[in-house]
């Protein structure tokens, strides 16, 4: 895996989406009787689902580019540059995809709007009612090449806001946390030759730190925590480019399996520590199997949509020194985009397209029923 490209691609961000700015406008009425009445009506119209009277479920998000919806630096991050966001909403929004990412689909599942990125909290005050997204592309549990806050610092931000009563304990009562760790710690480890010391001890260290973070989020008062298993890193275009996007790197996927096995043990341990054993507090979201399902059946379960060559990314640099979104010194495009991003699973070297994420989300349905 080319860690440099993984890092530069995993820096993920956001701007106020049209759908979000609608909410900002009604924010003045937050807490007023009229506004509450409106919320109650609209939550009833969702049909089924869980109703928490006027207080919708809040989603708090931590991690990296797979879930970041706009915390990264604008306009420097690629996710703030064309062609990111071309499919949805038609311009870059700080997401590392042509459109929606995992957070947006999990929010949809929870019947809430995608929560506002931490960085934009002052701009979009009304969005606070859906929670907040603290994830920064390019980050890991440990410090990576990017200057963005690691997961511990992201949780510090969350705690600060709770301390300031931006979120009350009542707000947390029905909340859900989504935690993504997609592999930036590993790309840095590899790039800094740390891997000479052996992968297994380092993987163990990463998962142990992740466990500490998950326990902290629960300790702060979030009753439901969803954590992603590592996706098959050996199937990312950054790896499969070595075989002209023909096959996954089995060596890398074995290391991923080791990470996921340890993480599964951590999740089981964390659940056993929780007093109320009847509910699963910590849920592992199996991105490994769901990526594999989407890649193997070429999206067949989505009806008539198929991914032609699921390993081949839609947006690529014109040569190895360039990548999706690269510009030459005269502002000329140094990348190409496929004809139909909806027919590609991967958008760039490491990130799925919106359609790719939708396929993953579809494959995760049984997993999500654990809620
Ligand atoms: C996270 O970042 C902060 C600030 O750079 C640093 O002090 C802390 O040690 C980091 N945490 C971990 C677990 O690496
Ligand atoms: C698979 O990945 C490993 C570790 O990154 C690398 O050493 C190896 O060359 C790769 N194998 C292929 C066939 O690309």
């Amino acid at each position: 895996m080319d860690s440099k490209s993984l890092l530069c691609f995993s820096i993920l961000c956001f701007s106020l989406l049209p759908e979000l700015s609608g909410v900002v406008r009604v924010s003045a009425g937050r807490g007023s009787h009229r506004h509450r009445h409106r919320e109650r009506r609209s939550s009833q119209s969702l049909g089924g689902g869980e109703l928490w009277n006027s207080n919708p479920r809040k989603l708090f998000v931590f991690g990296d580019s797979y879930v970041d919806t706009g915390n990264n630096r604008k306009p420097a991050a690629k996710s703030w540059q064309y062609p990111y966001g071309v499919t949805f909403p038609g311009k870059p929004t700080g997401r590392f995809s042509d459109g929606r990412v995992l957070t947006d689909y999990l929010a949809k599942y929870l019947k809430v709007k995608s929560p506002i990125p931490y960085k934009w909290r002052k701009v979009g005050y009304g969005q606070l009612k859906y929670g907040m997204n603290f994830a920064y592309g390019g980050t890991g549990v440990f410090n990576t090449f990017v200057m963005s806050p690691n997961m511990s610092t992201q949780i510090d931000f969350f705690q600060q806001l709770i301390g300031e009563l931006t979120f009350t304990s009542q707000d947390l009562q029905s909340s859900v946390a989504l935690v993504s760790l997609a592999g930036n710690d590993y790309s840095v480890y590899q790039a800094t030759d740390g891997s000479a010391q052996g992968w297994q001890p380092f993987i163990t260290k990463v998962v142990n730190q992740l466990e500490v973070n998950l326990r902290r989020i629960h300790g702060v008062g979030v009753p439901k925590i969803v954590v992603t298993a590592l996706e098959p890193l050996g199937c990312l275009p950054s790896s499969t480019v070595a075989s002209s996007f023909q096959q996954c790197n089995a060596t890398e996927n074995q290391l991923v399996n080791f990470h996921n096995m340890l993480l599964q043990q951590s999740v089981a341990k964390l659940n056993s520590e929780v007093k109320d054993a009847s509910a699963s507090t910590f849920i592992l979201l199996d991105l490994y199997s769901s990526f594999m399902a989407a890649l193997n059946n070429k999206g067949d379960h989505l009806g008539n949509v198929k991914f032609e060559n699921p390993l081949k990314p839609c947006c690529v640099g014109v040569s190895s020194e360039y990548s999706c979104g690269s510009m030459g010194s005269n502002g000329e495009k140094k990348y190409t985009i496929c004809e139909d991003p909806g027919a590609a699973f991967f958008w760039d070297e490491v990130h799925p397209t919106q359609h790719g994420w939708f396929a993953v989300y579809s494959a995760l349905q049984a997993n999500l029923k654990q809620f």
Side-chain angles (χ1 to χ4, degrees):
M1 182 176 37
D2 174 3
S3 44
K4 290 241 176 60
S5 73
L6 176 54
L7 278 171
C8 85
F9 273 96
S10 28
I11 300 167
L12 191 49
C13 299
F14 154 105
S15 83
L16 287 176
L17 295 171
E19 58 171 351
L20 302 189
S21 29
V23 179
V24 175
R25 248 176 272 129
V26 300
S27 68
R30 189 173 186 260
S32 76
H33 177 71
R34 215 183 69 186
H35 188 55
R36 231 180 277 145
H37 180 65
R38 188 193 319 186
E39 278 179 352
R40 192 177 303 126
R41 244 194 3 229
S42 69
S43 59
Q44 277 168 353
S45 68
L46 290 170
E50 298 184 55
L51 300 181
W52 304 93
N53 47 59
S54 65
N55 207 2
R57 249 185 179 197
K58 287 179 175 50
L59 176 60
F60 297 105
V61 185
F62 305 89
D64 51 34
S65 61
Y66 274 14
V67 293
D68 184 356
T69 53
N71 280 313
N72 257 308
R73 196 162 303 214
K74 186 181 181 181
K78 277 256 175 87
S79 55
W80 283 109
Q81 296 166 26
Y82 191 81
Y84 287 80
V86 280
T87 301
F88 173 83
K91 61 173 186 185
T93 62
R95 286 164 169 81
F96 262 88
S97 176
D98 63 319
R100 296 171 179 88
V101 296
L102 181 60
T103 304
D104 304 309
Y105 287 108
L106 192 74
K108 177 185 152 96
Y109 186 82
L110 297 173
K111 301 185 167 82
V112 297
K113 284 189 193 283
S114 204
I116 190 164
Y118 173 73
K119 181 178 173 173
W120 299 92
R121 66 194 182 280
K122 300 226 166 71
V123 187
Y125 188 69
Q127 273 303 99
L128 294 181
K129 67 179 174 185
Y130 303 113
M132 194 169 282
N133 190 336
F134 298 91
Y136 283 80
T139 63
V141 290
F142 300 119
N143 288 343
T144 56
F145 289 135
V146 294
M147 292 295 117
S148 300
N150 61 35
M151 202 186 281
S152 307
T153 307
Q154 294 171 22
I155 301 169
D156 291 343
F157 292 160
F158 181 41
Q159 276 193 306
Q160 272 162 25
L161 293 183
I162 292 170
E164 294 164 9
L165 294 179
T166 302
F167 296 110
T168 63
S169 54
Q170 205 185 354
D171 286 332
L172 299 185
Q173 250 167 39
S174 62
S175 67
V176 174
L178 169 63
V179 180
S180 165
L181 193 68
N184 290 313
D185 292 293
Y186 298 132
S187 44
V188 171
Y189 186 65
Q190 189 175 43
T192 53
D193 286 331
S195 45
Q197 299 160 41
W199 279 103
Q200 299 211 346
F202 184 66
I203 294 172
T204 308
K205 227 176 108 183
V206 167
V207 176
N208 285 344
Q209 182 60 43
L210 181 54
E211 185 185 307
V212 167
N213 296 346
L214 295 172
R215 195 177 280 113
R216 242 185 102 195
I217 296 169
H218 185 246
V220 165
V222 180
K224 205 61 142 174
I225 296 155
V226 182
V227 57
T228 58
L230 207 52
E231 75 282 6
L233 293 175
C235 299
L236 300 184
S238 52
S239 277
T240 62
V241 65
S243 64
S244 306
F245 310 116
Q246 292 308 303
Q247 52 194 353
C248 300
N249 183 314
T251 314
E252 290 175 351
N253 283 350
Q254 265 167 19
L255 294 173
V256 169
N257 284 328
F258 182 65
H259 169 105
N260 286 341
M261 187 197 70
L262 293 182
L263 183 56
Q264 196 164 19
Q265 290 170 359
S266 281
V267 165
K269 185 166 131 200
L270 288 164
N271 276 324
S272 72
E273 288 172 8
V274 178
K275 284 199 197 81
D276 174 17
S278 62
S280 46
T281 301
F282 297 90
I283 296 172
L284 191 61
L285 203 58
D286 192 354
L287 287 196
Y288 191 92
S289 303
S290 50
F291 267 57
M292 283 307 199
L295 293 172
N296 286 330
N297 73 8
K298 307 187 174 184
D300 286 0
H301 59 287
L302 300 177
N304 51 14
V305 178
K306 289 195 171 46
F307 299 120
E308 281 144 26
N309 174 2
L311 294 179
K312 193 169 180 244
C314 173
C315 183
V316 292
V318 292
S319 66
S320 60
E321 55 206 289
Y322 298 109
S323 53
C324 181
S326 289
M327 303 292 260
S329 46
N330 298 321
E332 73 277 25
K333 272 166 53 174
K334 292 290 189 186
Y335 61 91
T336 58
I337 310 180
C338 63
E339 214 168 283
D340 177 14
F345 179 82
F346 285 110
W347 170 242
D348 61 23
E349 277 96 329
V350 291
H351 303 103
T353 56
Q354 166 172 300
H355 216 112
W357 276 124
F358 182 69
V360 167
Y361 173 67
S362 304
L364 284 170
Q365 288 305 304
N367 198 170
L368 287 169
K369 291 225 168 71
Q370 289 179 57
F371 268 101

